[in-house]
């Protein structure tokens, strides 16, 4: 961490908002006008809309993350966690990856810590569940699912086999529907290479407490998405929830019970709980309360945006929707970050602030290779697409939206190669414990067992 005479703009979080806001500030400010410091526990930004495809092996996991130090050149990037903010002294406490926590003074602050999986105290969930918020989870899920096929293919125990081949997904929004669609596609593909596993032997279950899936694309396309997934043999249970999953024994409120080694939790997000320690004004659901200028309410030197902020949705309010708030999605995060970056620079120079207003442009979702839904909003017109055309829209949109040309090219190269080469279906589960084999080889050999006659000899000598 550098000490600096210049004012410091501290950006807490290097995700969507943090990355784009830092880049915007660096672009708009004069040479040496301020020091921009980005703090994040990860050294990379994750393009979350690509996580389902990373979990299915359609995109290399490394290509869905963007190294912060390379893309926010000119900023100081610290790998660590901001654990508290002292507004009176204008210092943040940073817990680095290793070593003691330290204080970091700032003049201007950007809160961009995103959201975490929203969970409930369901027995067994913490031990058995896996989320879909980070690239580590996407890699873990892919290895785990393929490992289940390996297990099922090689066991003679019918119960073990059935449990391995049952996959439960809780939450049918964007993340859940896309992930089950992609993973089912991968498992179907992989099954071709197993002698004792067929797609019909696998059971995919999607559960949602609401009465529909994919609410982001509207009721008609949501219904189509549900019918489409069902036509692929995925069981969908709506208006119900998971009561427990102790040791993989899943019990749903509607009475269904299944045993499964795979419980994927995609039932929504909540604002980063660390915000509660920052002393900032919070809304009823724990978001930082922000003004349309993205300034945190009651301050003129702190800004917040993205999944951790409640920002009034001026476009919807103008259209007559009372108390509308911007939904937590990448579409808003990206645009808010740019306005936020401009406002930080204006704030530093004492210029007026701009208000953030953006009307929904629609949504696209991929449900596996060549399958998807898309709703494009053009003024008052809504264009609804499904199937292959929607899937092309999905790929086209996200292929352009992933940050940096480096990543755009790599992702398109992954997709192009996949058209000619078969999908990789190898499970690298051992990647999670890479030292295990070496440890076994290197650990001290156990003392040789002493023979019975030697023991008698030793006893005789001793007496
Ligand atoms: C599987 C999935 C699919 C999605 N698909 C779509 C889609 O198709 N379309 C769409 O519009 N949106 C989609 N989204 C939502 C979109 O990705 C988010 O809305 C967007 O990433 C929010 O940006 P953010 O900057 O607020 O948060 P994030 O991008 O999550 O960034 C938050 C950052 O804060 C860091 N952080 C956390 N705690 C601390 C701390 N204490 N100190 C410092 N840093 C911290 C985190 O490490 C992270 O890097 C999807 C999300 C998921 C999970």
């Amino acid at each position: 961490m550098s000490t600096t005479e210049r004012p410091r703009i501290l950006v807490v979080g290097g995700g969507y908002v943090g990355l784009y806001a830092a880049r915007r500030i660096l672009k708009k400010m004069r040479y040496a006008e301020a020091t921009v410091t980005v703090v994040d526990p990860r050294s990379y930004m994750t393009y979350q809309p690509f996580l389902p495809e990373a979990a299915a092996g359609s995109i290399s996991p490394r290509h869905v993350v963007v190294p912060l130090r390379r893309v926010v050149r000119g900023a100081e990037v610290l790998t660590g966690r901001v654990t508290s903010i002292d507004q009176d002294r204008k210092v943040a406490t940073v817990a680095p990856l290793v070593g003691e926590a330290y204080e970091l003074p700032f003049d201007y602050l950007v809160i961009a810590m995103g959201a975490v999986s929203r969970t409930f105290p369901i027995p067994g969930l913490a031990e058995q569940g896996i989320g879909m918020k980070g690239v580590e989870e996407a890699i873990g899920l892919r290895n785990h699912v393929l490992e289940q096929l390996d297990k099922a293919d090689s066991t003679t125990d019918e119960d073990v086999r059935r449990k391995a081949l049952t996959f439960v997904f809780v939450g049918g929004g964007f993340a859940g529907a896309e992930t089950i669609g992609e993973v089912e596609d991968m498992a179907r593909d992989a099954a071709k290479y197993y002698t004792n596993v067929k797609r019909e032997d696998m059971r995919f279950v999607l559960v949602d407490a609401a009465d529909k899936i994919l609410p982001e694309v509207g009721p008609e396309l949501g219904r189509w998405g549900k019918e489409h997934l069902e036509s692929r043999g995925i069981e969908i249970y709506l208006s119900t929830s998971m009561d427990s999953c102790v040791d993989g024994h899943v019990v749903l409120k509607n009475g269904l019970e299944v045993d499964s080694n795979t419980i994927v939790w995609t039932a929504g997000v909540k604002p980063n709980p660390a915000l509660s320690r920052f002393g900032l004004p919070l809304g009823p659901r724990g978001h930082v309360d922000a003004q349309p200028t993205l300034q945190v309410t009651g301050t003129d030197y702190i800004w917040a945006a993205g999944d951790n902020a409640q920002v009034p949705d001026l476009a919807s309010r103008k259209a007559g929707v009372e108390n509308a708030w911007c939904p937590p999605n990448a579409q808003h995060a990206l645009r808010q970050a740019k306005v936020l970056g401009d406002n930080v620079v204006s704030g530093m120079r004492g210029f007026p602030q701009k208000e953030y207003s953006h009307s929904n442009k629609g949504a696209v979702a991929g449900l596996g290779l060549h399958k998807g839904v898309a709703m494009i909003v053009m003024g008052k017109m809504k264009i609804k697409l499904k199937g292959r055309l929607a899937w092309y829209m999905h790929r086209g949109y996200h292929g352009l939206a992933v940050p940096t040309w480096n990543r755009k090219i790599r992702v398109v190269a992954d997709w192009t190669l996949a058209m000619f080469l078969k999908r990789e279906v190898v499970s690298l589960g051992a990647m999670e414990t890479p030292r295990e084999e070496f440890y076994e080889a290197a650990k001290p050999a156990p003392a040789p067992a002493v023979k019975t006659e030697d023991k008698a000899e030793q006893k005789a000598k001793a007496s």
Side-chain angles (χ1 to χ4, degrees):
M1 185 250 311
S2 65
T3 48
T4 170
E5 291 297 306
R6 302 174 208 155
R8 172 178 271 120
I9 302 166
L10 174 59
V11 181
V12 185
Y16 233 111
V17 170
L19 177 125
Y20 279 105
R23 274 165 55 126
R24 186 76 170 196
I25 294 166
L26 288 163
K27 188 172 157 196
K28 290 287 172 97
M29 77 183 196
R30 285 188 292 270
Y31 176 72
E33 193 178 352
T35 297
V36 179
T37 304
V38 180
V39 183
D40 196 297
R42 300 183 176 109
S43 61
Y44 49 82
M45 174 264 192
T46 307
Y47 189 75
Q48 292 170 6
F50 275 155
L51 291 179
E53 286 203 55
S58 304
I59 303 177
S60 161
R62 274 182 206 283
H63 301 161
V64 310
V65 298
V66 182
L68 288 175
R69 287 185 173 82
R70 194 158 78 198
V71 296
V72 285
R73 287 258 181 98
E76 176 184 49
V77 176
L78 302 176
T79 307
R81 208 170 272 281
V82 171
T83 55
S84 66
I85 302 281
D86 183 335
Q87 287 183 56
D88 295 333
R89 290 169 53 229
K90 287 197 177 177
V91 290
T93 305
V94 178
L97 275 187
V98 286
E100 300 258 305
Y102 54 84
E103 290 195 334
L104 191 64
F106 62 82
D107 298 274
Y108 305 96
L109 185 63
V110 175
I111 304 288
M113 291 159 59
V116 299
S117 293
R118 184 187 51 178
T119 55
F120 305 101
I122 296 172
L125 180 61
E127 297 77 20
Q128 303 292 323
I130 179 165
M132 191 42 63
K133 278 288 291 167
V135 71
E136 304 80 3
E137 290 167 321
I139 298 172
L141 179 62
R142 172 176 161 71
N143 284 327
H144 172 85
V145 168
L146 292 171
E147 203 175 80
Q148 300 314 302
L149 304 194
D150 292 346
K151 278 186 194 165
D153 199 39
S154 323
T155 183
T156 51
D157 184 326
E158 193 43 42
D159 289 343
V160 169
R161 182 179 147 80
R162 203 169 316 119
K163 193 170 179 185
L165 293 180
T166 302
F167 306 95
V168 178
F169 291 69
V170 185
F174 250 134
E178 288 195 307
T179 309
I180 198 168
E182 294 287 350
V183 170
E184 189 273 339
D185 219 33
M186 173 189 74
R188 176 189 294 270
D189 237 21
K192 291 179 199 149
Y193 307 105
Y194 289 81
T195 329
N196 303 315
V197 177
K198 306 268 164 298
R199 169 59 184 96
E200 304 76 72
D201 304 334
M202 299 178 212
R203 194 168 176 193
F204 280 86
V205 175
L206 178 63
V207 183
D208 201 301
D211 60 358
K212 52 181 166 295
I213 64 164
L214 286 168
E216 299 87 346
V217 291
E220 191 188 320
L221 288 177
R223 234 178 354 259
W224 184 87
K226 175 174 177 281
E227 283 162 14
H228 166 78
L229 292 175
E230 283 173 334
S231 73
R232 286 160 55 182
I234 296 173
E235 298 166 40
I236 301 183
Y237 300 98
L238 299 180
S239 309
T240 192
S241 53
M242 187 169 74
D243 274 349
S244 71
C245 57
V246 176
D247 295 330
H249 182 68
V250 176
V251 181
L252 301 190
K253 208 161 235 98
N254 67 2
L256 184 83
E257 296 191 22
V258 289
D259 286 304
S260 170
N261 289 336
T262 314
I263 297 155
V264 185
W265 184 264
T266 48
V269 293
K270 63 177 180 194
N272 196 317
L275 292 168
S276 61
R277 295 194 297 270
F278 288 8
L280 298 169
L282 300 183
R285 291 190 294 130
H287 300 85
V288 182
D289 190 33
Q291 295 297 304
T293 56
L294 304 169
Q295 281 165 311
V296 171
T297 303
T299 74
D300 60 0
Y301 65 98
I302 310 179
W303 290 260
D307 287 7
N308 71 179
Q310 59 168 43
V311 178
D313 182 348
L314 293 188
S316 298
R317 289 183 187 203
K318 265 181 219 148
V321 185
E322 274 178 40
N323 281 328
W325 302 97
C326 297
N329 62 33
Q331 196 181 133
H332 281 290
L334 169 68
R335 289 169 177 85
Q336 287 173 356
K338 291 186 176 161
V339 174
L340 186 153
D342 291 350
N343 281 349
V344 171
V345 176
S346 300
M348 200 164 54
R349 294 176 185 164
F351 294 157
Q353 301 279 298
K354 266 194 310 204
E355 289 194 336
Y356 172 76
S357 175
H358 166 69
S359 45
N360 182 20
K361 293 275 175 277
V364 288
L367 299 172
L369 215 54
H370 306 143
K371 306 165 260 277
V373 284
M375 187 189 63
I376 298 136
V377 182
M378 293 171 91
K380 290 208 166 118
M381 210 166 58
K382 280 185 184 163
I383 302 170
K384 295 170 195 160
L385 302 171
K386 46 199 180 225
R388 197 178 266 262
L389 195 55
W391 179 78
Y392 285 125
M393 288 293 306
H394 170 258
R395 284 217 156 168
Y397 174 79
H398 286 298
L400 286 173
V402 64
T404 78
W405 279 103
N406 180 306
R407 287 309 187 252
K408 290 185 212 306
I409 293 167
R410 284 179 191 274
V411 165
V412 172
D414 283 345
W415 286 337
T416 313
L417 281 177
M419 281 161 45
F420 302 105
L421 305 174
K422 291 196 172 85
R423 198 199 293 252
E424 276 304 336
V425 290
V426 68
S427 154
L428 293 178
M431 257 172 49
E432 278 142 49
T433 49
R435 293 189 61 250
E436 203 169 294
E437 201 168 323
F438 181 76
Y439 174 76
E440 284 300 321
K443 75 179 177 192
V450 184
K451 283 194 205 145
T452 330
E453 57 264 37
D454 294 346
K455 272 190 191 160
E457 217 171 89
Q458 280 170 13
K459 223 175 179 181
K461 266 190 200 158
S463 58

